[in-house]
Amino acid sequence: MSICSLRGLNVRFCRQAYILAHVRTGVVPMPGRTKLRLSLSITPLRSSHNNLYQMVKKRTLEARTKLQRNKFPNNQACEEETKNRSSPCNDQSGSTLCSSPSSGPSAPRPKTSTMFSYKSSSSSSSSSNSTSSSSQCKPEFEKLKDPCPKPKPEVQDKTSAGLKGCIKNAELLQANDCNISKRKKVTCDKKPCEDDGADGSKKGAGGSRGSIMGDDEAKKKTRMLMALLAALGLGGLLLWLQTRRKQKDGESTDCGPTSGLPATVPATSAELPKHVPYLLIGGGTASFSAFRAIKSNDPRAKVLMITNEFRKPYMRPPLSKELWYSAEKGEVTKDYRFKQWTGAERSLFFEPEEFFVEPSKLMETVNGGIAVAHGFAVKKIDPAKHVATLTDGYEITYDECLIATGCSPKTIDVFNQAPPGVREKVMMYRSPDDFERLKRYADEKKSITIVGNGFTGSELACSLANYAKDKKVKIYQIFPESGNMSKVLPSYLSKWTTAKVETMGVCVMPETYVKEAQRDDSVLKLALSNGKSLLTDVVVVCVGCEPNTNIALTSGLEVDRNLGGFVVNAELEARRNLFVAGDASCFYDPLLGRRRVEHHDHSVVSGRLAGENMVGKKKAYTHQSMFWSDLGPEVGYEGIGLVDASLPTVAVFALPTPNPERRADNLSEAAVIEGGGSGGGTVTVNPETPDVKCDPSNADEYGRGVIFYMKDDKIVGILLWNLFNRIGLARTIINQNKKYDDLNEVAKLFEIHA
C-alpha cells in the first residue's frame, strides 16, 4: 500500500472518530448546576471516542511526517537522531511537550506543532510531539492524579482565563528552552473536565475555541518572526551597502586626497603669500633636504613648499621594505613607525605636523620656518621675472626657487586601455595610501599580482611574501625579463636571486607579460603571453617611473632627450636662481658623464647642495650616490656608481666554509685609505694576501661578495652583495678612476670573509 492511499484511509478514520467524539447524545438538563457541568453517565463513552480520535490523528500525523521526510531528507536528520534515542517524548503514558527551532526556512512544519489541545488525562497530549521538525524535548508535564478532576463552580470567563494561563505557561516553558533549573514542571490546574449535561454541546465549542486560540498564537508568532527576519535582512543590506562603498573608496586609483582630508590646504590659493624668499616646488625628499640646508645657513628663512600631495614630506624606501616587517609584528601607527637596520625606530615622516607653519601665517613668523601648501601645482615658471603661476592662475614671486617634482610611476598600455572595472583593480605603489590599500588586501587574504622586476617590484614581492606567510596569501610576480633585478645584477646572479625569491613563497613567472585583462566578477582575469590565464584580486604595476617635467615646455627649460629630466649644470642650476634636484635633475658627472639617478641618497645629497647654493654657496655636485635594497631577510646589497648589467662585470664571492673566521686573515689591515671617504683618496693594496676567487658556474650559494662594473678597463660601479658599511671604500675606489691589474687584490679590501 502506498503512502498516499494510507494517508487517505487515515483521513477517513480521523473524520469518523471526530464525529463519534463530538456527537451530541445523552444531554440531560441539570438545573441548579453550572452550564459547564455535563452528565457523568456518558463520560467514559466520550473519553473512549476521544482516545480513538487522538490515536487516528496521531497516525495521520506520523504518515504525513513520513511523507515529508521522503520529500525533504536533509531536514529530518535531527529528528532521526532523536528517534534513535529513548526519548520521553515517545512515552504515551505521560503528557510531554516537544518543540524544536526550525532547521531552516524550508523545513515543513504542520499547523498542529504550534497548537495546544487540552483533553482528559486518559488521552495524552501527544498531538504536539509529532511535528516533523521535532528534535528536542521539553520537560514532562506533571501527571494528573485524577483522570477527570471535578472543577470548581466557576464562570466560563474564568475557565477561559485559566485556559489562556495554561497556554502562556506552556509557551513560557517552550521559549525558555528546557531551563529546568528555574522551572522543571508546568501544570495546568485549571484544565476543564467536561461531562455531559445541560450544555454538553459546549465541549466541541471549547475544543474548537482552544484550537482557534492556538492558531492566533501561531499567527502572532509567525508575524513576529517575519518582522524580525525583515529587520535583520534590512540591517544586513544596509551593512553590505556601507561595506561595499568603503571597498570602492579604498579601491579607487585616483591620486586625489584620501577620505577625511581637505581638497587643498589652505582652502584657496588666495591665502598663500604673494611673495616668498624661498619657493620649493615639490614635497619629496630632495625638497625637504633643501629646506634643511637653507635653514642651517639662514636661521630666519621663510620657505614655502608647494606640492600636489596631501601628506607632509616622507621617505619612500621603507614603503617596500622596512615598513612591512614592522607591520608584521603589530598594527601600523599613525606616523608609520618602523625599525631601521641599526635597530632604532623612527617615523616615515621627516618631521611631525607641529613642525610646520600655516601658509597664511608664514610671512608673519619672526623666526621663519616652512609652510606646506597641499593640493596645489605649478603650471608655469618665468625665470626672468621670478614668478611661479599655479594651475588656477594665482602668481607667487620668489627670490630663489627649487624644482624637485620627482617622478611618476609608469603604467602599461594593456591596463591604460582597459575598461573602468579593470582599472579599479590596478594600482601603482608610491605612497602610504598605496601601502594601506595593499596591506588591506593582504589582511583579507586576497591574491596579489606584481608586474615588474625592478627595485620596487622585487622588494615588494619579498616583503609581501614574508608579511603574508601565515595568512596563506598567494603572491605572483610577472615580468618579461629573464630574472629579478636583471638590469642591475649579472645574469647568473639574477637567476639565482629569482630562485631565492621563489623559495620565499612568491610565484615568479619570468619571460611573461600580460596580453589582456578582463574583469570576472570581483577578480581580474589576466591572459598571459605563455598561453595561461591568471585570476587575481589586485594588480600592482611596478615598471619604473618617469620624471615630472610638465612645466619645462611652458617655462622654457631644457629636458634631456635620452635620460629625461631637467638639464642642469654642475651647481644643479637650470637658470639663474632656479635650481633642480632629486629624480627630476639630469646633471653632469665628471667621471661618468651626464646622468639621472632615482635613489634616495641622491635626493638627499642633491637637495642639500641645491639648498646651499640657493643661499649663495656655489658648490659643484661631485657626489657618487649609493643605493641599497633588501630581498627578504637573507639577501641585501648596496651599490654605488654606474651599476648596469649591460656592462662587463668581475665578481668575487666568498666560498662556503664551516669556519669563516679562520679565512679572514686580518684583511682590515690590508686596506689603507688615504684621504676622505668621498674625496680623491687612494687605496693601497697588499699583494701578499692570498687570492680569493670564485667561479660563478661552480657556486651554489652566493653568500657574500663584491661585483665590479667595468668601462674602459676602469671600475665605474661596485655592488656589495651582503656586505655592509663599506660604501666609503667603494666610493674612494671609483673616484680614483684608474686601472687595476688584479681585481682579486681589490676585492680583498672589502673583507668578504670577515
Side-chain angles (χ1 to χ4, degrees):
M1 183 179 293
S2 64
I3 296 296
C4 295
S5 59
L6 179 62
R7 179 183 176 185
L9 183 62
N10 286 335
V11 169
R12 288 207 308 242
F13 278 136
C14 183
R15 289 176 180 173
Q16 294 295 331
Y18 183 85
I19 294 173
L20 291 175
H22 296 83
V23 65
R24 299 180 181 180
T25 58
V27 180
V28 180
M30 301 288 293
R33 291 180 177 266
T34 310
K35 293 183 179 181
L36 295 178
R37 297 292 300 271
L38 303 179
S39 176
L40 297 177
S41 60
I42 62 172
T43 300
L45 180 62
R46 307 257 319 163
S47 300
S48 61
H49 290 169
N50 200 5
N51 289 339
L52 176 61
Y53 165 69
Q54 295 297 337
M55 180 186 66
V56 175
K57 184 177 180 180
K58 177 182 177 182
R59 293 182 179 179
T60 302
L61 293 176
E62 289 178 353
R64 185 183 304 172
T65 302
K66 187 174 181 181
L67 181 62
Q68 294 291 343
R69 184 185 298 112
N70 294 334
K71 290 184 178 180
F72 306 99
N74 292 336
N75 296 334
Q76 308 301 328
C78 184
E79 180 184 2
E80 292 176 359
E81 183 180 357
T82 305
K83 283 189 175 182
N84 293 333
R85 302 192 301 262
S86 60
S87 173
C89 293
N90 298 327
D91 186 7
Q92 300 296 332
S93 62
S95 179
T96 60
L97 177 64
C98 299
S99 65
S100 172
S102 176
S103 61
S106 62
R109 192 181 182 97
K111 293 182 180 180
T112 56
S113 62
T114 59
M115 296 173 57
F116 296 89
S117 300
Y118 294 92
K119 305 167 289 298
S120 61
S121 62
S122 59
S123 61
S124 61
S125 58
S126 60
S127 61
S128 61
N129 61 8
S130 59
T131 58
S132 61
S133 60
S134 176
S135 64
Q136 182 180 359
C137 291
K138 300 296 182 181
E140 287 189 49
F141 283 110
E142 188 176 343
K143 296 181 181 180
L144 298 177
K145 296 181 180 179
D146 193 354
C148 185
K150 297 181 180 181
K152 296 180 181 181
E154 298 174 347
V155 295
Q156 186 175 359
D157 296 339
K158 292 185 178 181
T159 306
S160 301
L163 182 60
K164 293 180 180 179
C166 182
I167 294 175
K168 290 182 179 180
N169 290 338
E171 290 177 353
L172 177 63
L173 178 63
Q174 185 177 7
N176 286 338
D177 195 13
C178 290
N179 193 356
I180 302 177
S181 61
K182 293 184 178 181
R183 195 168 185 175
K184 266 191 177 180
K185 300 180 181 180
V186 178
T187 60
C188 181
D189 295 336
K190 297 184 180 181
K191 183 176 180 181
C193 181
E194 301 173 357
D195 54 342
D196 292 331
D199 295 326
S201 60
K202 297 291 182 179
K203 181 174 182 180
S208 176
R209 184 174 182 179
S211 300
I212 293 174
M213 294 178 62
D215 289 337
D216 293 341
E217 294 293 338
K219 291 179 180 178
K220 185 177 180 181
K221 288 184 178 180
T222 304
R223 293 193 190 100
M224 293 176 62
L225 181 60
M226 294 299 295
L228 180 61
L229 291 176
L232 291 176
L234 182 59
L237 179 61
L238 293 176
L239 181 62
W240 180 81
L241 290 175
Q242 185 178 4
T243 306
R244 181 63 179 170
R245 183 177 300 176
K246 289 182 179 179
Q247 289 179 353
K248 287 186 177 180
D249 293 341
E251 293 174 0
S252 175
T253 57
D254 189 9
C255 297
T258 58
S259 58
L261 293 177
T264 58
V265 178
T268 61
S269 58
E271 300 181 31
L272 298 175
K274 283 285 188 180
H275 175 80
V276 290
Y278 301 96
L279 179 63
L280 308 179
I281 302 175
T285 301
S287 184
F288 193 79
S289 180
F291 158 74
R292 284 178 170 172
I294 294 171
K295 193 68 174 175
S296 61
N297 291 275
D298 186 0
R300 295 189 177 183
K302 299 176 181 179
V303 183
L304 176 63
M305 180 184 295
I306 299 178
T307 175
N308 59 355
E309 294 198 43
F310 296 87
R311 295 182 183 272
K312 294 298 188 289
Y314 58 89
M315 298 182 293
R316 297 191 191 275
L319 291 174
S320 59
K321 295 187 283 290
E322 292 89 349
L323 201 57
W324 286 101
Y325 295 95
S326 299
E328 179 187 5
K329 301 178 182 178
E331 294 294 332
V332 179
T333 59
K334 183 179 180 180
D335 58 346
Y336 299 95
R337 301 194 68 83
F338 63 93
K339 184 174 291 186
Q340 303 180 91
W341 65 273
T342 58
E345 285 191 359
R346 65 153 300 162
S347 171
L348 187 72
F349 299 95
F350 291 109
E351 295 291 346
E353 291 281 345
E354 299 79 12
F355 179 82
F356 300 90
V357 183
E358 294 183 12
S360 58
K361 300 179 181 179
L362 175 62
M363 302 308 296
E364 302 173 1
T365 307
V366 178
N367 295 324
I370 180 173
V372 182
H374 296 283
F376 295 95
V378 177
K379 68 176 182 179
K380 179 183 178 181
I381 297 178
D382 190 341
K385 297 181 180 180
H386 292 193
V387 176
T389 305
L390 304 184
T391 53
D392 59 358
Y394 187 79
E395 295 183 352
I396 302 176
T397 59
Y398 62 85
D399 295 333
E400 303 288 338
C401 181
L402 171 69
I403 300 176
T405 50
C407 290
S408 295
K410 296 179 182 178
T411 184
I412 304 177
D413 293 337
V414 67
F415 296 124
N416 276 339
Q417 301 171 1
V422 174
R423 292 200 298 267
E424 288 180 358
K425 292 288 186 177
V426 179
M427 61 176 291
M428 312 299 168
Y429 195 79
R430 189 71 176 171
S431 66
D433 296 330
D434 299 329
F435 167 79
E436 290 283 357
R437 180 184 175 187
L438 199 57
K439 180 177 179 297
R440 184 170 64 253
Y441 274 110
D443 292 338
E444 294 175 356
K445 299 182 180 180
K446 304 289 187 180
S447 59
I448 302 172
T449 300
I450 300 172
V451 179
N453 71 332
F455 286 97
T456 304
S458 300
E459 292 171 358
L460 190 59
C462 296
S463 300
L464 274 172
N466 182 77
Y467 174 77
K469 57 186 177 183
D470 297 331
K471 304 178 186 296
K472 297 181 180 180
V473 178
K474 194 64 178 177
I475 309 296
Y476 301 93
Q477 188 180 13
I478 302 174
F479 47 83
E481 293 81 9
S482 59
N484 289 82
M485 303 298 300
S486 59
K487 294 183 180 180
V488 175
L489 303 178
S491 59
Y492 63 89
L493 191 57
S494 175
K495 294 179 181 179
W496 182 88
T497 304
T498 302
K500 194 73 173 180
V501 173
E502 289 178 342
T503 59
M504 298 183 62
V506 181
C507 181
V508 183
M509 288 180 277
E511 299 180 350
T512 306
Y513 61 90
V514 180
K515 296 178 60 178
E516 185 181 3
Q518 296 178 352
R519 181 75 177 264
D520 186 5
D521 293 335
S522 60
V523 298
L524 285 182
K525 183 179 180 181
L526 304 179
L528 305 180
S529 59
N530 57 7
K532 299 180 181 179
S533 297
L534 177 64
L535 295 179
T536 182
D537 292 294
V538 63
V539 174
V540 186
V541 180
C542 304
V543 291
C545 62
E546 52 187 1
N548 296 320
T549 58
N550 298 331
I551 62 176
L553 182 62
T554 58
S555 304
L557 302 178
E558 183 183 359
V559 176
D560 189 274
R561 295 182 178 179
N562 298 324
L563 302 176
F566 298 94
V567 177
V568 296
N569 57 17
E571 297 176 359
L572 302 182
E573 198 173 25
R575 296 285 292 273
R576 184 63 59 88
N577 304 116
L578 181 61
F579 300 85
V580 184
D583 300 346
S585 64
C586 184
F587 61 96
Y588 181 76
D589 189 332
L591 294 177
L592 306 177
R594 187 158 292 277
R595 303 176 62 196
R596 190 180 69 83
V597 181
E598 300 174 357
H599 295 304
H600 177 79
D601 181 63
H602 168 69
S603 297
V604 172
V605 178
S606 64
R608 181 171 63 240
L609 187 134
E612 292 174 348
N613 289 340
M614 291 173 74
V615 296
K617 293 295 184 179
K618 304 298 181 183
K619 293 183 177 180
Y621 186 72
T622 59
H623 176 73
Q624 288 294 334
S625 60
M626 59 86 63
F627 65 88
W628 76 96
S629 179
D630 297 318
L631 300 179
E634 298 181 1
V635 177
Y637 55 92
E638 297 177 348
I640 187 173
L642 192 59
V643 180
D644 189 350
S646 61
L647 297 175
T649 60
V650 177
V652 180
F653 289 89
L655 293 174
T657 174
N659 191 4
E661 290 79 11
R662 295 181 180 178
R663 304 199 48 184
D665 295 328
N666 296 325
L667 294 179
S668 58
E669 299 178 358
V672 180
I673 305 175
E674 300 177 359
S678 60
T682 59
V683 177
T684 304
V685 178
N686 186 0
E688 297 181 358
T689 54
D691 292 342
V692 181
K693 297 181 180 180
C694 176
D695 185 4
S697 60
N698 297 330
D700 296 330
E701 292 291 335
Y702 299 102
R704 294 156 61 93
V706 57
I707 304 171
F708 301 104
Y709 293 79
M710 312 299 295
K711 186 176 182 180
D712 298 332
D713 296 333
K714 295 181 181 179
I715 299 176
V716 296
I718 297 176
L719 189 135
L720 305 175
W721 189 257
N722 284 330
L723 295 174
F724 306 99
N725 299 325
R726 295 165 172 82
I727 282 294
L729 173 62
R731 182 177 286 114
T732 302
I733 293 175
I734 293 176
N735 288 336
Q736 286 183 355
N737 193 28
K738 69 176 185 179
K739 298 181 180 180
Y740 293 94
D741 296 333
D742 191 355
L743 292 179
N744 287 311
E745 299 298 329
V746 181
K748 296 174 185 177
L749 302 176
F750 292 93
E751 303 178 356
I752 61 177
H753 291 286

